[in-house]
Amino acid sequence: MRHFLSLFDVSDDELKRIFELGHQLKSRLKSGVREPILQGKVAGLLFEKPSLRTRVSFEAGMAQLGGSSLFLGEDVGWGKREAPQDFSRVIGQYLDVIVCRAKSHDKVETLAKYADTIIINGLTDLCHPCQALADLMTIREEFGSLEGQKLTFVGDGNNVSRSLALACAKMDMTFSLAHPKGYEIEQEFIDRILAVSPNAKIEQTTDPIAAVEGACAVYTDVWASMGQEAEQAKREKDFADFQVNQKLMDAAAKDAIFLHCLPAKRGQEVTDQVMDCKTSRIVEQAGNRMHAQKGLLVWLLTEAVDKVHLD
């Protein structure tokens, strides 16, 4: 049984294969081909947090692949009405895959421990691996390859930037984080990346101009994510010098694109000018959530499962 709780769960070659599948499925969809590769498969979307892109992209992706999905919100009582192991063992019998969007990474790990079905991390406080798939797929489309490219994240050492740091390490890219003092990625997580990718090129600095130098993609996120609303005022003050504006984009590579995982707070972490500029790829990036996840679903529900049977 293969799960996708973080990018640590796949090898570099497996990650490349997922990208290839995503690109192929996107190309076929553009040609009007919707192959029922996952006909009869059922995905459950177990969400503790609000969602637009994650929910819609997974539901649409499963439908296009011939499968179906159902949304499981707070009313199912996960972690409230019954013990996690009871809930997980029962729901695992009904579904072929569960996409879990949880407030804590521990809850996704518990689900994977007890549910006898494939678990995909749809976002936790630790990481957001499906978002990273779409992000690197977008860069690959723009520049033709990932190897040797540099991605700069301007903001917090959060779940999105941790996943990007790991994804870049796996694809031989340089990852740079420009952050206010105290908001860097924890050394423990960096050490985990270095343990599997000893040659990883990860830079962290409090100088945004230096961080974006040579970057092919400049990326940012809201300064206060879901669950951090109480810190909004403090974070606005701490991140005031880390807005992505045209001056910062001009310091990156000449053909650099702008990325944002959305939703964005225009005028705060990024200006309208950058959001709407010719090199902004936020719409294509959001669209690639579905295409990359379709590659992941096909890989997990067909190729990886077949490999387990062969072993």
Side-chain angles (χ1 to χ4, degrees):
M1 181 75 66
R2 296 293 298 268
H3 299 300
F4 187 70
L5 306 190
S6 79
L7 289 162
F8 286 116
D9 291 332
V10 295
S11 70
D12 299 1
D13 287 341
E14 288 171 338
L15 185 56
K16 290 177 182 176
R17 178 60 179 149
I18 293 168
F19 284 134
E20 289 172 0
L21 286 167
H23 285 296
Q24 290 169 0
L25 290 166
K26 181 176 182 178
S27 177
R28 293 183 187 188
L29 181 65
K30 284 185 175 180
S31 301
V33 179
R34 301 188 183 204
E35 294 164 307
I37 301 171
L38 301 183
Q39 187 171 21
K41 302 288 187 183
V42 182
L45 275 62
L46 184 60
F47 282 22
E48 275 193 318
K49 286 188 169 185
S51 171
L52 170 65
R53 279 154 290 277
T54 302
R55 176 178 177 177
V56 178
S57 59
F58 266 108
E59 290 191 357
M62 279 299 292
Q64 291 175 12
L65 291 167
S68 61
S69 60
L70 59 155
F71 182 74
L72 305 169
E74 292 189 13
D75 58 311
V76 300
W78 180 37
K80 294 180 180 177
R81 287 196 310 183
E82 53 190 323
Q85 55 268 41
D86 297 337
F87 178 93
S88 302
R89 286 168 177 157
V90 170
I91 196 173
Q93 297 177 96
Y94 306 146
L95 304 166
D96 297 290
V97 57
I98 299 174
V99 181
C100 182
R101 187 173 172 91
K103 293 178 181 177
S104 75
H105 196 75
D106 290 346
K107 298 189 77 170
V108 176
E109 290 184 332
T110 299
L111 188 67
K113 179 179 180 181
Y114 293 108
D116 188 22
T117 194
I118 296 168
I119 308 298
I120 293 176
N121 178 355
L123 177 145
T124 67
D125 57 339
L126 180 68
C127 55
H128 197 357
C130 292
Q131 179 67 55
L133 292 181
D135 302 337
L136 264 58
M137 183 175 177
T138 306
I139 295 173
R140 190 172 185 244
E141 285 178 336
E142 187 73 23
F143 299 102
S145 65
L146 295 172
E147 292 77 11
Q149 301 286 3
K150 177 181 177 180
L151 166 64
T152 295
F153 188 94
V154 182
D156 196 355
N158 61 10
N159 50 358
V160 176
S161 57
R162 287 190 201 99
S163 297
L164 287 169
L166 176 54
C168 287
K170 286 179 164 293
M171 292 296 102
D172 195 25
M173 297 173 64
T174 297
F175 175 79
S176 178
L177 174 64
H179 64 88
K181 188 176 180 181
Y183 290 92
E184 62 272 27
I185 296 175
E186 309 84 347
Q187 188 58 46
E188 180 182 359
F189 194 84
I190 299 295
D191 290 341
R192 286 186 65 191
I193 295 176
L194 293 173
V196 296
S197 301
N199 297 321
K201 295 178 281 291
I202 300 173
E203 305 167 352
Q204 300 198 80
T205 174
T206 56
D207 184 346
I209 294 292
V212 301
E213 184 177 354
C216 75
V218 178
Y219 193 131
T220 192
D221 190 4
V222 293
W223 291 340
S225 300
M226 288 182 287
Q228 297 173 331
E229 290 80 4
E231 303 174 27
Q232 182 69 41
K234 180 179 187 305
R235 282 175 170 264
E236 286 183 17
K237 181 179 179 181
D238 292 345
F239 284 86
D241 295 330
F242 291 82
Q243 182 188 65
V244 177
N245 48 38
Q246 195 55 53
K247 178 182 177 183
L248 192 62
M249 290 299 298
D250 290 342
K254 189 176 181 180
D255 57 350
I257 60 174
F258 171 71
L259 300 173
H260 194 302
C261 51
L262 300 177
K265 287 196 173 183
R266 288 173 174 249
Q268 195 169 92
E269 77 272 8
V270 58
T271 62
D272 281 337
Q273 184 182 14
V274 172
M275 284 286 282
D276 300 325
C277 71
K278 290 192 297 184
T279 56
S280 173
R281 294 293 178 270
I282 57 173
V283 175
E284 294 83 354
Q285 178 189 11
N288 280 337
R289 287 295 306 273
M290 183 180 74
H291 303 300
Q293 289 161 189
K294 285 171 69 177
L296 175 64
L297 287 166
V298 169
W299 182 76
L300 278 172
L301 290 168
T302 59
E303 295 192 357
V305 171
D306 291 343
K307 185 176 180 181
V308 170
H309 287 319
L310 288 172
D311 288 340

